[in-house]
Amino acid sequence: MSLAEKIKVLIVDDQVTSRLLLSDALTQLGFKQITAAGDGEQGMKIMNEQPHHLVISDFNMPKMDGLGLLHAVRSNPATKKAAFIILTAQGDRALVQKAAQLGANNVLAKPFTIEKMKAAIEAVFGALK
Amino acid sequence: MNDAAAAKRVHIIQGEYKVVTDPDVVLSTILGSCVAACLRDPVAGVGGMNHFLLPGSAGAMTSGGDATRYGVHLMELLINGLLKKGARRDRLEAKIFGGAKTIASFSNVGEQNAAFATQFLRDEGIPIVGSSTGGEHGRKLEFWPISGRARQYPLTGAETQKTVALEQRPVVPPKPIETSIEFF
């Protein structure tokens, strides 16, 4: 079993198309355990029910945004160790700084390439294969 | 001429998007094989338009390809812009225009662009309330984002050729300020 197959990933994005693209990219990287949520609230509900090892979340979402979800994940002892990558369509320094303060592992600007996503995940978990 | 004179005209070029809340603004653009998606929330009184040409061939249009990611990005920027100005995703409605057949290239880029926009909006559950895509002629498009009114004029054959030639120039997809930021 490869490392990628063991990692449970939670995708959080309000756009169906973005979730599909990300899910496709992760499948290509060898991930098998992928769950998806449409906003931060739903994402946190899933994390509370079953903590995932890696959360890849969009920033701009209704209800609870990516930073809100990051804060919630880091505040709960059961989920705080999860790796957290934030995706953003509008990359700006203030967001990156805030994300770093709240304990994000990485911030990736959209549109990202599969290679960039792989590098971001491997920076946390080590080589996937 | 009356409404044209009163209106504040904002022209949108390829790779751009605009979101407005001013009912006097008319968004305009010129489309060859490019596609413009016009979105609005009729309740919040906010609307906008983007204008894109997906780079690459049919092969690049498959799921996960660079072209798809670029198109999704431009749609997302427009939708995020609308949501920031008070629109709600479940109230959005769309009109799509453009995607004329290009004589210059073998593959029908225009058709692929229109198909991408249609598929994207369908996947996102945003109803398409009007569209005019394909055909042999380019379009000059005007869109009033608050009322949702759209008007288009067909370009002549020569104008279409010229527009398509301009569109086909290599365009570097707009890069976000920070492409990847690592902090450890």
Side-chain angles (χ1 to χ4, degrees):
Chain A
M1 207 187 208
S2 73
L3 177 60
E5 284 174 43
K6 292 181 200 157
I7 298 173
K8 283 187 199 141
V9 196
L10 174 65
I11 294 171
V12 191
D13 200 308
D14 55 330
Q15 287 206 119
V16 183
T17 315
S18 295
R19 293 203 294 270
L20 291 175
L21 280 177
L22 184 51
S23 173
D24 269 7
L26 292 171
T27 306
Q28 282 184 46
L29 292 174
F31 289 91
K32 299 256 197 268
Q33 307 186 66
I34 304 168
T35 316
D39 60 64
E41 272 183 21
Q42 202 191 351
M44 197 55 214
K45 194 163 165 275
I46 292 170
M47 284 300 275
N48 283 329
E49 284 162 8
Q50 195 192 22
H52 285 57
H53 306 112
L54 169 62
V55 181
I56 303 177
S57 173
D58 185 30
F59 164 61
N60 212 322
M61 291 183 294
K63 291 182 190 170
M64 185 192 277
D65 70 13
L67 291 180
L69 175 62
L70 171 59
H71 181 66
V73 165
R74 289 286 180 256
S75 305
N76 182 345
T79 60
K80 69 176 185 189
K81 285 187 177 157
F84 205 108
I85 295 173
I86 290 198
L87 302 176
T88 174
Q90 291 113 324
D92 68 83
R93 273 228 165 260
L95 168 65
V96 174
Q97 279 168 359
K98 187 85 182 133
Q101 278 168 12
L102 289 172
N105 294 83
N106 215 325
V107 177
L108 278 184
K110 292 182 181 180
F112 58 86
T113 60
I114 290 188
E115 291 70 33
K116 281 237 169 70
M117 179 54 73
K118 183 167 181 263
I121 296 171
E122 289 189 334
V124 183
F125 292 95
L128 288 173
K129 278 180 185 166
Chain B
M1 271 316 278
N2 281 341
D3 53 287
K8 294 172 212 161
R9 183 171 297 273
V10 178
H11 192 75
I12 294 176
I13 60 165
Q14 191 178 326
E16 276 190 338
Y17 74 99
K18 282 279 182 330
V19 171
V20 295
T21 51
D22 182 346
D24 291 334
V25 169
V26 52
L27 299 174
S28 69
T29 197
I30 293 174
L31 302 162
S33 49
C34 283
V35 167
C38 305
L39 268 66
R40 73 174 186 127
D41 176 340
V43 180
V46 53
M49 181 201 278
N50 66 10
H51 175 157
F52 61 87
L53 177 72
L54 302 185
S57 60
M61 300 291 288
T62 52
S63 147
D66 285 342
T68 306
R69 276 200 299 274
Y70 174 59
V72 168
H73 179 60
L74 288 176
M75 291 301 292
E76 181 168 15
L77 287 175
L78 174 59
I79 292 172
N80 282 350
L82 292 165
L83 299 182
K84 264 187 204 158
K85 297 264 185 189
R88 271 190 18 204
R89 183 175 278 272
D90 57 357
R91 286 193 304 235
L92 290 178
E93 58 178 48
K95 291 185 178 181
I96 52 174
F97 299 92
K101 201 179 175 76
T102 59
I103 304 112
S105 74
F106 291 106
S107 63
N108 195 341
V109 179
E111 196 174 272
Q112 291 166 14
N113 279 280
F116 164 81
T118 307
Q119 185 64 45
F120 178 92
L121 293 165
R122 196 175 292 153
D123 287 346
E124 298 297 333
I126 299 171
I128 300 171
V129 296
S131 73
S132 167
T133 62
E136 305 275 319
H137 293 281
R139 299 163 169 82
K140 179 170 186 281
L141 173 67
E142 291 177 334
F143 178 61
W144 285 260
I146 312 306
S147 69
R149 176 179 164 219
R151 189 161 64 178
Q152 62 172 353
Y153 311 88
L155 301 180
T156 63
E159 284 169 339
T160 301
Q161 295 272 15
K162 203 172 141 197
T163 305
V164 167
L166 283 169
E167 285 174 350
Q168 298 298 331
R169 284 180 310 183
V171 174
V172 181
K175 282 268 183 284
I177 311 151
E178 314 280 354
T179 51
S180 172
I181 311 110
E182 310 261 348
F183 10 86
F184 56 84

